[in-house]
């Protein structure tokens, strides 16, 4: 009876893991497909190339897609206990970290763009020009690279040459050579969280002040911008919480493996997949201009007669 009970529990556990794996893959493929359609829509309209808001939106879609793809590969490797060479794992970690921080910093930049559009409308064309947008993208990538560069530079300085050819499970903790690296990583993440939080709060209250003083169409547009910032704040909160999930998982891993698997699955769905589905919602659905262009190309892809609808 004990053996049968153990086998039943094992089969139930395996079935649960299999069901979760299928759900994750369906969600990842769905979000990647939506992001691809939105990127195609952006590329098909020249108008979007000259608007900072849409350019930053496209940058977010690209970084989200890359992050989803790499994080899903890591999820599969961990889920099936597959080991790879450390140098390959380092490449995956660099891509994942860069893409994740690009999304976070770009979303913060989009909040600032909304602040300029609403609170400084006369200077919006000057500050948010195409040239400044390209410069901003370079700054975004530079700021996004810093956490990974700082963390891995310590690893590269400490690891032996043989370490790169070792075959291990791919997780960021294999790059921790000193205990204080964890504290440094935590400090960097908290610093980014603090700066981003201050920017969002300041922009929110500034726009709130303008919204109360505005009237008519201007008031309606301002409140719409305020709602956009709230959605960005929620998205950024989920993204930043994801930076802390690894520390929670490392603690849970030492307590109970089964609990670790459940926590990891919850974190992946809540703090990795969920924030990535908000980007299409904020600018892909709520933005009337982009929505009409999106409908046009999607319907044209399904039916040639749809060309006359838009």
């Amino acid at each position: 009876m004990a053996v049968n009970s153990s086998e039943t529990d094992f089969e139930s556990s395996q079935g649960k893991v299999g069901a979760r794996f299928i759900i994750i893959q369906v969600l990842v493929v769905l979000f990647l497909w939506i992001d691809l359609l939105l990127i195609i829509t952006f590329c098909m309209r020249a108008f979007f190339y000259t608007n900072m808001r849409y350019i930053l939106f496209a940058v977010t879609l690209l970084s989200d897609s890359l992050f989803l793809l790499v994080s899903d590969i890591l999820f599969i490797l961990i889920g099936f206990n597959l080991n790879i060479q450390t140098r390959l794992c380092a490449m995956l970690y660099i891509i994942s970290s860069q893409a994740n921080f690009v999304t976070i910093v770009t979303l913060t930049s989009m909040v600032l763009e909304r602040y300029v559009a609403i609170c400084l409308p006369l200077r919006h064309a000057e500050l948010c020009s195409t040239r400044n947008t390209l410069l901003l993208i370079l700054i975004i990538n530079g700021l996004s690279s810093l956490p990974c560069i700082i963390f891995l530079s310590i690893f590269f300085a400490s690891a032996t040459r043989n370490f790169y050819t070792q075959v291990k499970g791919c997780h960021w903790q294999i790059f921790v050579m000193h205990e204080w690296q964890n504290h440094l990583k935590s400090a960097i993440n908290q610093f980014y969280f603090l700066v981003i939080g201050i920017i969002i709060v300041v922009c929110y209250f500034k726009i709130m002040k303008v919204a109360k003083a505005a009237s008519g169409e201007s008031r309606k547009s301002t409140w719409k911008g305020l709602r956009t910032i709230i959605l960005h704040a929620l998205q950024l909160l989920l993204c930043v919480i994801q930076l802390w999930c690894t520390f929670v998982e490392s603690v849970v891993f030492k307590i109970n493996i089964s609990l670790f698997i459940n926590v990891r699955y919850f974190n992946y769905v809540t703090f990795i997949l969920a924030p990535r589905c908000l980007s299409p919602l904020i600018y892909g659905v709520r933005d009337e201009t982009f929505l009409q262009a999106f409908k046009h190309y999607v319907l044209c892809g399904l039916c040639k007669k749809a060309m006359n609808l838009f």
Side-chain angles (χ1 to χ4, degrees), residues 249-266:
E249 291 170 5
S250 63
V251 173
V252 174
F253 181 79
K254 298 175 182 178
I255 300 174
N256 187 285
I257 297 296
S258 178
L259 181 60
F260 167 77
I261 295 173
N262 292 331
V263 169
R264 188 171 184 83
Y265 175 77
F266 173 81

Side-chain angles (χ1 to χ4, degrees), residues 139-206:
I139 295 173
I140 287 171
N141 281 277
L143 292 174
S144 302
S145 302
L146 284 177
C148 185
I149 290 174
I150 294 172
F151 182 75
L152 285 183
S153 61
I154 301 169
F155 164 73
F156 292 142
S158 305
T160 61
R161 185 174 297 179
N162 294 332
F163 188 85
Y164 299 106
T165 58
Q166 292 180 12
V167 178
K168 295 186 175 185
C170 191
H171 192 269
W172 71 271
Q173 285 184 318
I174 68 174
F175 304 116
V176 176
M177 309 300 291
H178 310 282
E179 183 61 31
W180 55 267
Q181 275 181 269
N182 287 325
H183 302 303
L184 178 62
K185 184 180 178 69
S186 177
I188 293 172
N189 291 344
Q190 289 178 32
F191 174 75
Y192 273 70
F193 177 78
L194 178 64
V195 173
I196 290 169
I198 291 173
I199 291 173
I200 291 175
V201 170
V202 171
C203 289
Y204 178 84
F205 283 107
K206 290 284 186 181

